[in-house]
Amino acid sequence: MEIVPIAHIHTGFPAKFGIPRQSGLVEGLQAVIEMEPDFRDAAAFRSIEGFSHLWIVWGFSENGRDGWSPTVRPPRLGGNRRVGVFASRSSFRPNGLGLSAVRLEKFVPQSPQGPLLHVSGADLMDGTPIYDIKPYLPFTDSHPEAACGFAAEVFDKQLEVLVPEECLAQIPPSQRPVIRQLLAQDPRPSYQEDPQRLYGFVYEGLEIKFRVESGLLRVVEVQRVNR
């Protein structure tokens, strides 16, 4: 079976580092799904406004690895413990497909780019191909009693975030809550614990550099970059 992208998503992340590990962890992240020309028929979205959340099926387009492995090393487990690929959400999968639940903020049926879906909470890099869109149904898709396996060990791990005033001044007020949430999720691979190491990622044209020591993430520099 051959599948083709029906859309691409536009987000504030030009690279993978810094993106939340799962959708919905940072609810304030805004994104726009733009359909490919063959799928710009507004009739395909009829009644979509009645749904608050959507499932999007997408492709891990930046992995750059051939083949697959039956076991993987989830970063949240320190990178030194193997689990089965089908017991993980690793990006290195036989078919390289991802699944994310996002909130539908607004549907624009007509624009110069065709129909647009404004969504929040996406965990995708800018330009990620989208292969399908489906409504999220809470009465069947939500299972609060479900067991989380090894993911429960690290689910609540968050960092304290310190942003000096001189760095905070470089961040637009509207972006400050989202950036704090991104940093609190700890963007680093779990196996990296060097307190002297300088990390950085770009979000919405801002490069944010930081260090982490003893559970405290300290922002050391914020500067605007060209996207």
Side-chain angles (χ1 to χ4, degrees):
M1 181 178 66
E2 182 180 354
I3 60 174
V4 298
I6 64 169
H8 287 80
I9 194 167
H10 300 295
T11 75
F13 296 101
K16 292 185 291 185
F17 189 80
I19 298 176
R21 292 176 175 85
Q22 304 293 339
S23 60
L25 290 180
V26 181
E27 296 180 351
L29 289 176
Q30 303 297 308
V32 178
I33 297 175
E34 179 181 335
M35 307 306 294
E36 287 295 290
D38 288 347
F39 302 96
R40 292 178 179 175
D41 187 339
F45 300 92
R46 187 177 300 159
S47 300
I48 200 169
E49 300 97 326
F51 298 95
S52 64
H53 290 73
L54 303 171
W55 287 112
I56 53 177
V57 181
W58 48 277
F60 290 101
S61 55
E62 296 295 317
N63 279 350
R65 179 185 294 182
D66 294 328
W68 69 285
S69 170
T71 61
V72 295
R73 302 175 187 266
R76 274 306 214 198
L77 293 181
N80 53 15
R81 176 176 161 190
R82 284 193 172 274
V83 302
V85 65
F86 300 126
S88 80
R89 296 196 179 188
S90 168
S91 58
F92 299 106
R93 321 188 65 79
N95 287 311
L97 294 177
L99 179 68
S100 295
V102 298
R103 174 181 286 276
L104 177 60
E105 300 289 350
K106 180 174 64 172
F107 171 59
V108 179
Q110 294 182 340
S111 81
Q113 296 78 37
L116 298 176
L117 296 168
H118 292 254
V119 300
S120 61
D123 55 339
L124 281 71
M125 192 175 77
D126 186 52
T128 295
I130 307 298
Y131 293 107
D132 204 358
I133 300 167
K134 303 174 185 287
Y136 176 98
L137 304 177
F139 61 86
T140 186
D141 294 346
S142 177
H143 300 277
E145 77 285 1
C148 295
F150 66 83
E153 302 174 23
V154 293
F155 179 75
D156 291 327
K157 180 182 177 182
Q158 291 201 352
L159 298 175
E160 181 183 354
V161 177
L162 176 63
V163 185
E165 287 298 327
E166 62 271 19
C167 294
L168 192 64
Q170 303 302 314
I171 304 174
S174 62
Q175 295 181 8
R176 292 173 186 175
V178 169
I179 288 176
R180 281 189 178 274
Q181 290 180 56
L182 288 171
L183 294 169
Q185 296 291 331
D186 193 355
R188 305 171 302 158
S190 295
Y191 53 83
Q192 293 183 359
E193 293 289 348
D194 183 359
Q196 299 305 313
R197 180 162 182 168
L198 185 65
Y199 301 87
F201 66 90
V202 176
Y203 172 68
E204 290 291 0
L206 294 175
E207 184 176 26
I208 302 156
K209 296 182 179 180
F210 62 92
R211 289 189 172 93
V212 180
E213 183 176 6
S214 301
L216 174 65
L217 184 150
R218 183 185 300 270
V219 175
V220 298
E221 184 179 358
V222 176
Q223 60 181 359
R224 184 157 293 280
V225 297
N226 294 324
R227 293 186 58 186

